[in-house]
Amino acid sequence: MEEIIKVTGLKKSFNNVEIIKGIDFSLHTGKVMGIIGPSGSGKSTVLRCLSQLETVDDGSIEICHDFLVKDGVYCSKEESRKIALSTGLVFQNFNLFPHMSVLKNIMDPQIHVLKKSKDEAYETALKLLDRMNLSERADYYPCQLSGGQQQRVSIARALALNPKVLFFDEPTSALDPELTGEILSVIRDLASDKMTMIIVTHEMAFARDTSDYIVFMDGGVIVEEGKPEEVISNPKQERTKAFLSRFTS
């Protein structure tokens, strides 16, 4: 099984405060990695570095056998655009275009990024909306949808670009509890289809049941990592135990 992402010595600071302190991890094709930890531990920053929304200070990121950054030096802009096409990011706050219909939100990235024809983009959008059980909402605008429906549209939009790996940044944190289940169900379906994913989440049961591998971060470092039954069900580090006790007590 091939390694699709490899991160070594990753460091990132904001205003001279080190947020990520030299972490290493890798992800294999078809696998799901769950990243858990307290707020401010650097979880979301890792995803933002991988998806090129933030630049790293040092370390290396290799995606699909291409170096985005090696020992702190970035590849060319042309190469970085190519690498960007292999990843997709689903934000916690949806980030849909409010002035566009659901259908257009999914079609436009295909037309402008992948250079697809309108007909091709339309067909792909319809298939994805059907997969998300949103076919009847194609002509709606984001403001006319529930939070759960908006998040399903944002997942469809990310999938429309056919990424090799999908990043989720706390995909249920902006949702009411009753809407959380529908998003977790969609992600479980993607996992069963062997979609390669990294998921930052506070849903411990979901992380345990869906992930092949768990990373627990705190203070910008990886405190503990391993299989879900090891890290979540039987943690070895005291910091991990203290964090998880809030969810299991």
Side-chain angles (χ1 to χ4, degrees), residues 36 38 40-41 44 51 61 76-77 94 97 108 113 129 135-136 150 157 160 162 171 175 181 193 212 223 246:
I36 62 172
S41 59
S44 295
S51 55
I61 298 174
S76 67
K77 287 186 177 181
F94 324 135
F97 294 111
D108 263 35
V113 177
L129 284 174
S135 296
E136 74 285 358
Q150 289 186 63
R157 181 181 61 183
N162 198 28
L175 302 178
D193 289 342
D212 298 293
V223 176
R246 296 182 299 144

Side-chain angles (χ1 to χ4, degrees), residues 52-71:
Q52 303 185 40
L53 294 177
E54 299 287 354
T55 56
V56 308
D57 298 323
D58 200 4
S60 301
I61 298 174
E62 190 176 357
I63 300 177
C64 298
H65 309 296
D66 293 316
F67 277 101
L68 172 64
V69 55
K70 187 172 184 180
D71 298 327

Side-chain angles (χ1 to χ4, degrees), residues 2 14 74 95-96 102 105 129 143-144 149 210 216 236:
E2 70 171 336
F14 292 106
Y74 273 84
N95 280 32
L96 298 173
V102 164
N105 260 285
L129 284 174
C143 66
Q144 297 174 296
Q149 289 170 336
T210 307
F216 170 63
K236 295 179 177 61

Side-chain angles (χ1 to χ4, degrees), residues 6-11 22-25 58-61 67 71:
K6 185 175 182 180
V7 171
T8 53
L10 186 66
K11 293 183 179 181
I23 66 170
D24 307 321
F25 66 86
D58 200 4
S60 301
I61 298 174
F67 277 101
D71 298 327

Side-chain angles (χ1 to χ4, degrees), residues 78-89:
E78 182 180 351
E79 187 70 14
S80 69
R81 282 194 292 268
K82 172 195 162 190
I83 293 171
L85 287 175
S86 63
T87 68
L89 175 62

